[in-house]
């Protein structure tokens, strides 16, 4: 049974505090640096203050290969972040657990400080996702942040594919994702961003949406970085070089040496060209992999293009099709 802070399941060890002040301290769950577009919005919320119960969420997990199957071997959680027991739903990869990030709240609120960390040991294979879209609610004072730290050891295969992020009008948010990739590992990262509550006619009404992705080698050397700074009051976020007039932007990064980078980029480019949407693919710096970005107006068409691109990459790297999301009604290509 999963409980706040630890798990009592057999074979899974609770992760103990490793830092002064504990792993649930506000300081440990807050980025040490913030872009000025977000840091300048700091204020004392007129709701629950930063650090209150339910305002600091922590989810940390360790994975190891056990008898040919990847198992969750270490686990720590603090509400509102938590996870259910890993499942093995993919018949093509029965060794690969699907791990879902859950939240006991309905979305992200002002003053929230979240931290997610996943350490994937040698020879592991793990798929991460979220149970639903991440909703960033209106924030009239202060802001919300999330730290994500993913480590992939030699021989590991990691998929980190959260659902779409939807910034509501007035939201203020910063996420810093750090990935540490061994030269012998493969990491597939996905990111999907909506311009707002499109069904309401809301587009780029958020105050600030900022995100940093830093990918490092096992020696700490920076392989590449991808910063996003969307501040509608200061920048033309609908310019052709940003989101244009599109409602959604989706990005897929494939960090690997298991296949030639140009071949992966060509595979993703060909797949996207067949969707009819605006998008493209290219090689990552140092040929450490490839990446693709696609734009669209409606969520179903972007989700389908994203899935087909992921599926093409997965077939090339694993020789196995990507499993359709539960309940998906899209037509098979």
């Amino acid at each position: 049974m999963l409980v706040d802070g630890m798990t009592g399941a057999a074979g899974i060890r609770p992760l103990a505090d490793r830092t002064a002040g504990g792993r649930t301290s506000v300081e440990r769950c807050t980025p040490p640096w913030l872009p000025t577009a977000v840091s300048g919005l700091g204020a004392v919320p007129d709701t629950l203050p930063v650090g209150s119960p339910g305002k600091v969420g922590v989810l940390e997990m360790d994975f190891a290969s056990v008898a040919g199957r990847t198992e969750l071997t270490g686990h720590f959680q603090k509400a509102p972040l938590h996870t259910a027991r890993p499942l093995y739903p993919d018949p093509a990869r029965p060794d690969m657990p699907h791990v879902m990030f859950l939240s006991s709240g309905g979305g992200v609120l002002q003053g929230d400080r979240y931290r997610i960390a996943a350490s994937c040991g040698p020879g592991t294979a793990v798929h991460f996702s979220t149970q639903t879209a991440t909703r960033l609610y209106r924030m009239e004072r202060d802001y919300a942040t999330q730290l994500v730290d993913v480590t992939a050891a030699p021989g590991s295969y990691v998929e980190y594919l959260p659902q779409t992020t939807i910034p509501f009008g007035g939201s203020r948010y910063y996420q810093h994702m750090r990935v540490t990739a061994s030269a012998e590992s493969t990491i597939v990262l996905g990111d999907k961003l909506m311009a707002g509550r499109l069904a309401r006619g809301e587009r780029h009404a958020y105050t600030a949406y900022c995100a940093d992705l830093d990918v490092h080698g096992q020696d700490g050397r920076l392989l590449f970085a991808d910063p996003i700074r969307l501040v509608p009051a200061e920048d033309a976020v609908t310019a052709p070089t940003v989101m244009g007039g599109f409602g959604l932007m989706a990005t897929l990064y494939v960090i690997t040496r298991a296949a030639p980078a140009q071949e992966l980029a060509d595979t993703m480019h060909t797949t996207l060209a067949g969707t009819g949407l605006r998008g493209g693919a290219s090689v990552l710096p140092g040929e450490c992999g490839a990446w693709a970005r696609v734009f669209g107006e409606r969520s179903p068409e972007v989700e389908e293009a994203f899935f087909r691109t992921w599926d093409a990459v997965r077939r090339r790297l694993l020789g196995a099709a990507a499993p359709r999301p539960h309940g998906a009604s899209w037509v098979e290509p």
Side-chain angles (χ1 to χ4, degrees), residues 164-213:
T164 304
T165 298
I166 308 174
F168 286 24
S171 59
R172 310 160 170 189
Y173 182 74
Y174 174 65
Q175 174 177 285
H176 182 202
M177 182 172 190
R178 179 187 172 97
V179 174
T180 302
S182 163
E184 295 80 35
S185 67
T186 292
I187 303 180
V188 180
L189 303 175
D191 179 75
K192 289 173 281 188
L193 177 67
M194 193 174 287
R197 292 174 289 180
L198 301 182
R200 288 172 164 254
E202 184 180 89
R203 288 173 177 265
H204 303 294
Y206 49 86
T207 302
Y209 176 87
C210 300
D212 282 315
L213 168 64

Side-chain angles (χ1 to χ4, degrees), residues 33 174-175 209-214 224-230 249 253 293:
W33 175 88
Y174 174 65
Q175 174 177 285
Y209 176 87
C210 300
D212 282 315
L213 168 64
D214 302 334
F224 72 91
D226 190 9
I228 294 177
R229 301 288 185 270
L230 299 178
M249 175 177 70
Y253 311 86
R293 181 162 285 166

Side-chain angles (χ1 to χ4, degrees), residues 13 49 63 85 87 121 134 172 188 191 205 223 262 297 330:
R13 61 181 179 83
F63 294 87
R85 184 180 297 275
L87 302 176
T134 298
R172 310 160 170 189
V188 180
D191 179 75
L223 300 180
Q262 188 61 59
E297 182 54 36
W330 307 315

Side-chain angles (χ1 to χ4, degrees), residues 22-308:
R23 64 175 62 235
T24 61
S25 66
V26 175
E27 294 76 18
R28 188 167 185 266
C29 298
T30 300
W33 175 88
L34 292 169
T36 55
V38 175
S39 63
L41 301 170
V44 178
D46 54 358
T47 54
L48 288 174
V50 176
S52 300
K55 303 298 289 180
V56 178
V58 181
L59 179 58
E60 301 185 1
M61 297 164 288
D62 289 344
F63 294 87
S65 180
V66 180
R69 191 172 88 156
T70 299
E71 300 280 359
L72 176 63
T73 56
H75 175 218
F76 181 95
Q77 65 184 36
K78 183 180 187 300
L81 296 183
H82 61 106
T83 186
R85 184 180 297 275
L87 302 176
Y88 298 80
D90 186 359
R93 289 301 304 261
D95 62 313
M96 180 187 295
H98 283 219
V99 180
M100 187 170 291
F101 302 143
L102 305 170
S103 174
S104 54
V108 180
L109 305 172
Q110 63 186 13
D112 285 354
R113 303 290 188 265
Y114 292 168
R115 176 184 174 86
I116 297 173
S119 177
C120 304
T124 57
V126 192
H127 173 94
F128 297 104
S129 187
T130 54
Q131 89 264 37
T132 185
T134 298
R135 296 167 177 84
L136 309 178
Y137 289 125
R138 177 177 296 278
M139 302 173 190
E140 298 175 347
R141 294 170 179 260
D142 206 60
Y143 47 80
T145 66
Q146 177 166 272
L147 290 169
V148 181
D149 192 342
V150 177
T151 302
S156 62
Y157 178 89
V158 180
E159 294 176 336
Y160 186 94
L161 304 173
Q163 298 297 319
T164 304
T165 298
I166 308 174
F168 286 24
S171 59
R172 310 160 170 189
Y173 182 74
Y174 174 65
Q175 174 177 285
H176 182 202
M177 182 172 190
R178 179 187 172 97
V179 174
T180 302
S182 163
E184 295 80 35
S185 67
T186 292
I187 303 180
V188 180
L189 303 175
D191 179 75
K192 289 173 281 188
L193 177 67
M194 193 174 287
R197 292 174 289 180
L198 301 182
R200 288 172 164 254
E202 184 180 89
R203 288 173 177 265
H204 303 294
Y206 49 86
T207 302
Y209 176 87
C210 300
D212 282 315
L213 168 64
D214 302 334
V215 178
H216 298 257
Q218 204 168 26
D219 59 358
R221 179 174 56 92
L222 179 67
L223 300 180
F224 72 91
D226 190 9
I228 294 177
R229 301 288 185 270
L230 299 178
V231 188
E234 300 177 3
D235 306 314
V237 297
T238 57
T241 55
V242 191
M243 284 191 70
F246 296 105
L248 293 99
M249 175 177 70
T251 309
L252 187 69
Y253 311 86
V254 183
I255 303 105
T256 187
R257 304 282 185 180
Q262 188 61 59
E263 179 183 324
L264 289 174
D266 291 344
T267 296
M268 291 193 284
H269 179 80
T270 300
T271 303
L272 288 176
T275 67
L277 298 183
R278 186 74 60 85
S282 64
V283 172
L284 288 169
E287 297 193 348
C288 65
W291 73 301
R293 181 162 285 166
V294 60
F295 299 88
E297 182 54 36
R298 298 171 57 251
S299 183
E301 65 186 13
V302 174
E303 291 280 3
E304 177 67 6
F306 183 88
F307 175 84
R308 292 189 186 190

